[in-house]
Amino acid sequence: MNPLSSIRIAFAALRLNLMRSMLTMLGIIIGVASVITMIAVGAGAEARIAQQIDSLGSNLIIVVSGAITSGGVRLGFGTQMTLSEDDAQALQREIPEILVAAPGVRGTAQIIYGNLNWSTVIFGTTTDFLAARDWGVAQGRPFEQAEEDRAAKVALLGQTVASTLFGSADPVGQLIRIKKVPFTVVGVLDRKGQSMQGQDQDDTVVMPLSTARNRVLGGSEVSRRAVGAILVKMREGADMHAAGTQIHDLLRQRHRLQPAQDDDFWIRNLSEVAQAQEASSRVLTLLLAAVASVSLVVGGIGIMNIMLVSVTERTREIGLRLAVGARSRDILGQFLIEALTLSLTGGLIGIAVGAAASFTIGHWAHWQTELSMPAILLAVGFAAVIGVFFGFYPARKASRLQPIEALRYE
């Protein structure tokens, strides 16, 4: 019997018990759909993390000022401004791998335009800030070094602030008031979206550091050349871990900290954060896929069970074929083809169900999902292996029947 005849006979046998075949495939359908959906959800989470890391800026290290202690209670990093503009200049001057180091101060204020107002984050920084954050300007222009030198009253608006105060109108050139001080809007920043902590990065106003210090935040909040943070952008290909160590050692030296003293600053290497979060996401994806794969194994057991029933029901048919010249390998191939057909058909239906489930989750739950061809091929390939593995025993049992005994079977 040639392979084509075996395939034809296998399909005919499955059509005779169509409902039973569909119920048998149900386990494979659920298994493949679950694997594809779980991997799509996990891949979407990884992509979301990558987007959030990219929105912060590539090759970025953030140095935050130290913590203040009040009544024996440490209030957290950034509560005491232990960094300075001089620290930022020293980092850029003495560590060759640093491309730019942008110092900054941060506060909150009410922004007023006409009869509209909005409370937002004020960030005073240097002209290197946009390069450090890989942040472009959608409208207008960035502020210039000359404006920073003379503490000019100019500001860049984030997308959230611009849309809240101006709607669809062009904010560039308009006057806004921040703590009763008039500012000219010189540009609108590109959209960044949420940070890894879920904060809206576009809900901000960026202005020259000298302006924020002298005209908005005031001497009580920011004294002399102190800053709350320094954004350090490394050159492409730089060793981020080694750079973090160099920054740490240089700042301890500049702050004259003794070996027994704690750091009065905190270094956050975003590449390490990204790697840790991506690793966690991959582990979660693999765990979800492994759990979903249990459904495939259950589906395989269902295939083996129904194939054993089929062998029992068709014992006389098998004996007749063996008696008229069919070989054992023909019977083995026929039943293996039936098992493989059940698993592959279930796999193909499972792909459609999994894709639909992924789309539904992404659309209604607002959760990013990503279908990938490797995940689809893996799920279908696993389904095929399950079909062959669990179909082999019933097929082998059928092929080893003796013609005389099979013909006598009632």
Side-chain angles (χ1 to χ4, degrees):
M1 185 181 296
N2 59 50
L4 187 60
S5 298
S6 296
I7 294 173
R8 181 176 53 81
I9 294 171
F11 272 98
L14 292 176
R15 282 197 303 270
L16 286 176
N17 296 283
L18 188 59
M19 181 58 68
R20 187 171 69 181
S21 300
M22 291 298 297
L23 292 175
T24 303
M25 288 188 292
L26 191 58
I28 297 294
I29 293 171
I30 294 174
V32 170
S34 300
V35 170
I36 290 176
T37 303
M38 293 300 101
I39 293 180
V41 170
E46 287 188 33
R48 179 61 176 165
I49 291 172
Q51 288 176 2
Q52 291 176 338
I53 295 296
D54 290 341
S55 72
L56 292 174
S58 59
N59 297 335
L60 186 64
I61 294 177
I62 301 177
V63 186
V64 183
S65 288
I68 191 171
T69 302
S70 177
V73 178
R74 299 190 71 186
L75 300 181
F77 286 104
T79 53
Q80 183 178 15
M81 293 193 177
T82 55
L83 298 172
S84 69
E85 292 181 67
D86 298 327
D87 288 331
Q89 293 171 1
L91 291 175
Q92 190 164 346
R93 181 177 62 249
E94 299 185 27
I95 301 178
E97 290 81 6
I98 292 179
L99 184 62
V100 293
V105 294
R106 181 187 178 97
T108 58
Q110 203 78 13
I111 313 300
I112 300 173
Y113 173 71
N115 60 351
L116 299 174
N117 66 90
W118 183 254
S119 179
T120 188
V121 174
I122 305 297
F123 196 77
T125 185
T126 64
T127 54
D128 292 328
F129 171 75
L130 298 183
R133 289 289 310 274
D134 293 328
W135 207 337
V137 177
Q139 297 171 255
R141 62 172 179 84
F143 57 81
E144 301 169 349
Q145 184 63 47
E147 293 170 326
E148 182 182 337
D149 293 339
R150 67 173 189 269
K153 293 177 286 186
V154 295
L156 293 167
L157 305 185
Q159 291 278 346
T160 300
V161 178
S163 62
T164 302
L165 295 181
F166 294 92
S168 58
D170 185 3
V172 177
Q174 300 295 325
L175 287 177
I176 59 175
R177 284 179 294 154
I178 305 175
K179 289 192 174 180
K180 299 182 180 180
V181 178
F183 279 78
T184 301
V185 178
V186 296
V188 178
L189 298 169
D190 284 335
R191 187 174 298 280
K192 277 284 187 178
Q194 288 187 346
S195 67
M196 290 182 293
Q197 291 78 28
Q199 298 172 337
D200 184 2
Q201 298 181 87
D202 301 308
D203 191 2
T204 186
V205 173
V206 179
M207 61 181 62
L209 177 58
S210 55
T211 307
R213 175 183 291 122
N214 299 328
R215 301 182 185 275
V216 179
L217 299 183
S220 61
E221 295 186 49
V222 184
S223 60
R224 296 184 297 242
R225 294 174 62 82
V227 295
I230 301 174
L231 306 180
V232 181
K233 183 177 178 62
M234 309 304 298
R235 299 184 187 276
E236 287 295 331
D239 186 334
M240 299 293 287
H241 179 73
T245 302
Q246 292 181 60
I247 292 171
H248 174 268
D249 294 342
L250 179 58
L251 288 178
R252 284 191 64 88
Q253 178 185 346
R254 286 185 54 81
H255 294 185
R256 295 182 174 85
L257 297 176
Q258 299 301 316
Q261 289 182 278
D262 293 334
D263 295 336
D264 62 353
F265 56 87
W266 177 49
I267 297 177
R268 188 179 187 191
N269 189 332
L270 294 187
S271 65
E272 294 179 355
V273 174
Q275 291 171 3
Q277 291 201 357
E278 288 176 357
S280 299
S281 180
R282 282 194 295 270
V283 170
L284 179 61
T285 300
L286 291 175
L287 178 62
L288 292 174
V291 171
S293 298
V294 174
S295 299
L296 282 173
V297 177
V298 173
I301 294 173
I303 289 177
M304 182 171 67
N305 181 53
I306 208 66
M307 293 304 297
L308 285 172
V309 172
S310 181
V311 169
T312 302
E313 291 178 345
R314 295 158 62 188
T315 299
R316 290 176 61 84
E317 174 191 335
I318 295 168
L320 183 59
R321 288 180 181 171
L322 290 171
V324 297
R327 294 166 296 183
S328 295
R329 66 182 184 183
D330 295 329
I331 304 299
L332 178 67
Q334 176 188 335
F335 280 89
L336 276 179
I337 289 171
E338 289 186 23
L340 188 60
T341 301
L342 284 171
S343 60
L344 283 180
T345 304
L348 294 175
I349 298 174
I351 291 175
V353 175
S358 301
F359 175 80
T360 302
I361 291 173
H363 181 71
W364 294 106
H366 304 291
W367 186 282
Q368 184 172 343
T369 59
E370 282 194 6
L371 282 175
S372 64
M373 186 55 65
I376 293 174
L377 295 177
L378 175 65
V380 175
F382 192 25
V385 171
I386 288 289
V388 172
F389 179 79
F390 285 99
F392 181 77
Y393 174 73
R396 185 169 178 269
K397 180 180 179 181
S399 67
R400 299 184 69 179
L401 288 174
Q402 296 298 319
I404 301 300
E405 294 178 2
L407 288 170
R408 288 176 178 174
Y409 182 81
E410 295 293 340

